Amino acid sequence: MSLQQNHVTDLWPTKFYNRHLPEFEEPTRLLIKLVREMDKTHRNLTTDYRDNNLLNLDHPGANWLRQQVNQSVIDYFQSVGIDYAVNWQIHAWANINRRGDYHDAHNHPRSYLSGTYYLKIPRSRKTSGQRPDLRPGHITFYDPRPGINMNSINKDPYVDPEHTVLPNPGDLLMWPAFLNHFVHPNLSDETRISISFNIILKWSDHYLPSQ
Ligand SMILES: [Fe+2]
């Protein structure tokens, strides 16, 4: 590859996608009802993630979310410059976090992209005596290059090893499945409800880069 003169190149960026879904209120209300029904017949929806793929259901909320997830994947591929046909399947599962529930740092092996759609997020108030840096209900993503921040200085692109957000109901986040993330504890008596998903590619040889 020839060099451009006087140019700064972004090498190995990590793509992170977020979208606030339009007219989310009614389908999200239906999905909350569906997740609560499913919760009655599962030991735990998050740990039983292999057998509660609610996006396989023919349900008005699930049909809406499946369409939104598919559109987000199309947007993502366009934004990174993938301009050829890609086939995928969605594996989704629901999460209900009650007081004290959290999900320690992890990634999603054997998936291409991962994401979460947020249905309900409690607004916790900090109580006196607790650490001021608690971020209940937030999600943190970590720079996939551990230690890259150790010599960084203010405003260079490596200074913050984490990206932390408090999602709103109606937000859909999506990221490369290798990215480690941590779901902070819910410190509210209200439930925090979301639907997570993996995008699993159906393999074709034309995905391979030309040599
Ligand atoms: Fe996750």
Side-chain angles (χ1 to χ4, degrees):
M1 182 175 284
S2 58
L3 285 175
Q4 280 181 270
Q5 285 192 339
N6 306 321
H7 188 71
V8 175
T9 302
D10 263 335
L11 290 178
W12 304 299
T14 303
K15 300 294 189 180
F16 182 83
Y17 177 92
N18 67 277
R19 187 159 72 102
H20 187 65
L21 303 187
E23 297 174 28
F24 71 96
E25 290 88 352
E26 179 58 15
T28 300
R29 188 184 68 76
L30 296 174
L31 282 167
I32 290 172
K33 212 170 147 202
L34 174 65
V35 171
R36 286 193 165 131
E37 281 301 314
M38 293 174 75
D39 188 47
K40 291 177 187 163
T41 56
H42 283 79
R43 184 176 50 109
N44 180 278
L45 289 171
T46 303
T47 55
D48 292 351
Y49 71 96
R50 286 189 189 89
D51 67 350
N52 72 88
N53 190 350
L54 74 180
L55 292 192
N56 279 347
L57 302 176
D58 184 13
H59 167 278
N63 293 343
W64 172 82
L65 184 57
R66 187 186 318 107
Q67 193 182 14
Q68 299 294 334
V69 169
N70 281 327
Q71 186 58 52
S72 299
V73 175
I74 291 167
D75 292 349
Y76 177 91
F77 282 142
Q78 275 180 354
S79 73
V80 302
I82 292 176
D83 56 1
Y84 51 84
V86 178
N87 289 313
W88 63 87
Q89 62 185 42
I90 306 170
H91 179 228
W93 64 98
N95 311 285
I96 301 180
N97 280 3
R98 298 181 171 82
R99 174 181 277 279
D101 288 348
Y102 68 99
H103 201 151
D104 47 345
H106 65 285
N107 57 15
H108 293 203
R110 293 168 293 284
S111 304
Y112 187 76
L113 298 171
S114 297
T116 300
Y117 175 64
Y118 295 92
L119 291 83
K120 183 171 173 291
I121 300 284
R123 298 286 143 176
S124 304
R125 284 191 217 97
K126 292 196 177 74
T127 55
S128 62
Q130 286 189 306
R131 283 173 53 152
D133 58 346
L134 291 179
R135 292 170 290 182
H138 290 57
I139 181 166
T140 292
F141 299 86
Y142 298 97
D143 192 323
R145 304 158 299 178
I148 200 86
N149 63 317
M150 61 180 290
N151 285 321
S152 60
I153 59 174
N154 193 25
K155 296 194 175 178
D156 83 23
Y158 318 113
V159 74
D160 195 349
E162 63 171 62
H163 177 64
T164 299
V165 294
L166 179 61
N168 287 303
D171 285 346
L172 186 151
L173 311 182
M174 195 169 66
W175 56 87
F178 61 76
L179 203 56
N180 274 301
H181 50 286
F182 168 76
V183 180
H184 294 249
N186 178 10
L187 299 181
S188 166
D189 288 327
E190 290 176 46
T191 51
R192 179 188 191 276
I193 304 180
S194 62
I195 295 172
S196 293
F197 56 89
N198 286 327
I199 302 299
I200 298 163
L201 297 189
K202 295 181 189 169
W203 183 254
S204 286
D205 284 346
H206 73 267
Y207 300 164
L208 294 171
S210 51
Q211 298 293 316

